[in-house]
């Protein structure tokens, strides 16, 4: 029995794909109990998505966009409460990730915009924000931060197990039989393909990978993309959304470029096997990439073990990352680690997060 009470928490996530806000309810003690509740996604408008994109790299109208982002998250909280039939007083805490506009851990810099104090005022609920800074300041990568939550959820599953999150960037949690964790960004997720689709077709993404399926993989371009020093580096390691230059596919047709960039994501996941103590017996895939049937087929072909969406074990792959930040918010309040040396490369387990009470 955990000595800590269960808290009702809302987790909020705005991922590198810039699709919108995921908001999830979780009852958790921050240790070994997690009971998922209601979940919603609030898409960003095309106009706001363009404003958010203009801030990537730490430039553009950041103060205005940060306020608008925070106000959008407050609306998402209120919508989730209405959906769940709850009041603000029924919720103990919000875990607010914000949106990453710059990630350069080698310079000990990471920047997630989002005003935790403003969100607390707008919702009437205390907020934990700024989850990554302490880890990066200690020498860690600051990412990924969901592995401790993955380990808690996977307690009864066969190991070694890999949980692969495919958002704008893809990251993996490797869980050993003894609970050992190794995690890292594997390489591109959906971001390169999404950017390609927008530029070449006007569509925001490749729905179920149907467009890539009509093209052919260009072996020369794929080899050039994989010839990046990142893939030689051992885990833990992490990436900025725009770490890879898509120049090798610039001369390809729209269809072949989509096929090649989709293959790049799959092949880069395979490359992480070089850095794991033992190959996983199963890969569970979360995030938007699991909806891409072409990508999932490529992953199964490269990894040669079962590759399944996390729904196969009863998890919600759309809600999982938002749930993780609800879980981490409680851990922050308990002064428990949010990361370990095997997950971010920090020299020791590191807690983090900044508490914002309701003013």
């Amino acid at each position: 029995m955990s000595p800590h009470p269960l808290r009702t928490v809302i987790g909020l996530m705005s991922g590198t794909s810039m699709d919108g806000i995921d908001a999830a309810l979780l009852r958790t003690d921050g240790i070994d109990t997690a009971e998922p509740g209601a979940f919603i996604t609030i898409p960003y408008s095309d106009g706001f998505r363009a404003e958010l994109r203009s801030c990537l790299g730490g430039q553009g109208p950041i103060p205005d966009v940060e306020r608008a982002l925070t106000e959008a998250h407050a609306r998402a909280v209120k919508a989730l409460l209405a959906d769940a039939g709850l009041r603000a007083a029924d919720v103990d805490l919000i875990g607010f990730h914000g949106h990453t506009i710059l990630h350069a851990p080698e310079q000990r810099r990471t920047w997630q915009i989002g005003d935790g104090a403003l969100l607390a005022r707008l919702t009437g609920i205390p907020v934990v924000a700024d989850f990554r800074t302490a880890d990066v300041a200690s020498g860690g990568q600051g990412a990924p931060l969901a592995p401790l939550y993955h380990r808690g959820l996977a307690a009864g599953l066969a190991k070694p197990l890999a949980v692969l999150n495919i958002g704008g960037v893809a990251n993996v949690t490797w869980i050993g039989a003894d609970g050992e964790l190794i995690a890292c960004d594997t390489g591109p997720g959906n971001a390169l393909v999404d950017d390609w689709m927008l530029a070449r077709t006007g569509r925001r993404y490749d729905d179920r990978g149907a467009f890539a399926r009509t093209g052919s993989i260009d072996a020369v371009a794929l080899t050039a993309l994989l010839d990046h020093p990142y893939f030689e580096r051992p885990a833990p390691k992490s990436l900025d959304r725009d770490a890879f230059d898509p120049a090798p596919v610039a001369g390809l047709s729209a269809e072949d470029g989509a096929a090649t960039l989709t293959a790049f994501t799959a092949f880069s996941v395979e490359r992480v096997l070089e850095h794991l103590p033992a190959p996983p017996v199963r890969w569970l895939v979360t995030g938007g990439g699991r909806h891409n049937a072409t990508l999932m087929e490529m992953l199964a072909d490269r990894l040669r073990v079962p590759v399944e969406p996390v729904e196969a074990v009863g998890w919600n792959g759309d809600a999982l990352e938002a749930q993780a930040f609800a879980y981490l918010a409680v851990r922050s309040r308990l002064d428990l680690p949010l990361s370990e040396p095997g997950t971010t490369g920090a020299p020791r387990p590191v807690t983090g997060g900044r508490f914002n009470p309701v003013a």
Side-chain angles (χ1 to χ4, degrees), residues 140-236:
Q141 293 286 311
L145 289 185
L148 273 69
Y149 183 56
H150 294 159
R151 179 169 63 189
L153 290 178
L157 301 179
K159 314 288 191 315
L161 173 72
V163 181
L164 177 66
N165 175 47
I166 307 177
V169 172
N171 57 69
V172 66
T173 300
W174 180 91
I175 309 168
D178 60 355
E180 178 188 1
L181 289 177
I182 294 175
C184 67
D185 288 344
T186 61
N190 304 315
L192 288 177
V193 180
D194 290 351
D195 290 351
W196 177 266
M197 291 294 293
L198 186 62
R200 293 300 188 98
T201 73
R203 301 178 222 166
R204 287 199 300 108
Y205 63 98
D206 183 7
D207 188 14
R208 297 190 58 80
F211 191 75
R213 193 181 293 276
T214 67
S216 299
I217 298 168
D218 186 288
V220 173
L222 179 59
T223 299
L225 289 165
L226 289 165
D227 186 25
H228 191 289
Y230 181 79
F231 300 115
E232 303 297 330
R233 287 170 47 194

Side-chain angles (χ1 to χ4, degrees), residues 215-309:
S216 299
I217 298 168
D218 186 288
V220 173
L222 179 59
T223 299
L225 289 165
L226 289 165
D227 186 25
H228 191 289
Y230 181 79
F231 300 115
E232 303 297 330
R233 287 170 47 194
K237 54 185 176 177
S238 66
L239 288 162
D240 186 72
R241 180 191 187 279
D242 296 324
F244 296 100
D245 183 354
V249 299
L252 301 182
S253 69
E255 296 84 354
D256 290 354
T260 303
L261 291 172
T262 302
F264 182 33
T265 294
F267 277 67
S268 62
V269 171
E270 181 188 23
R271 291 290 301 272
V272 84
L273 292 172
E274 304 166 18
H275 307 297
L276 300 179
V281 297
R282 185 185 199 184
W283 291 73
L284 294 174
V285 186
T286 185
R290 78 192 192 288
H291 298 303
N292 185 320
T294 302
L295 175 58
M296 292 291 281
E297 289 171 14
M298 289 181 179
L299 286 167
D301 182 60
R302 303 311 305 173
L303 299 171
R304 298 173 294 280
V305 294
V307 176
E308 303 163 284

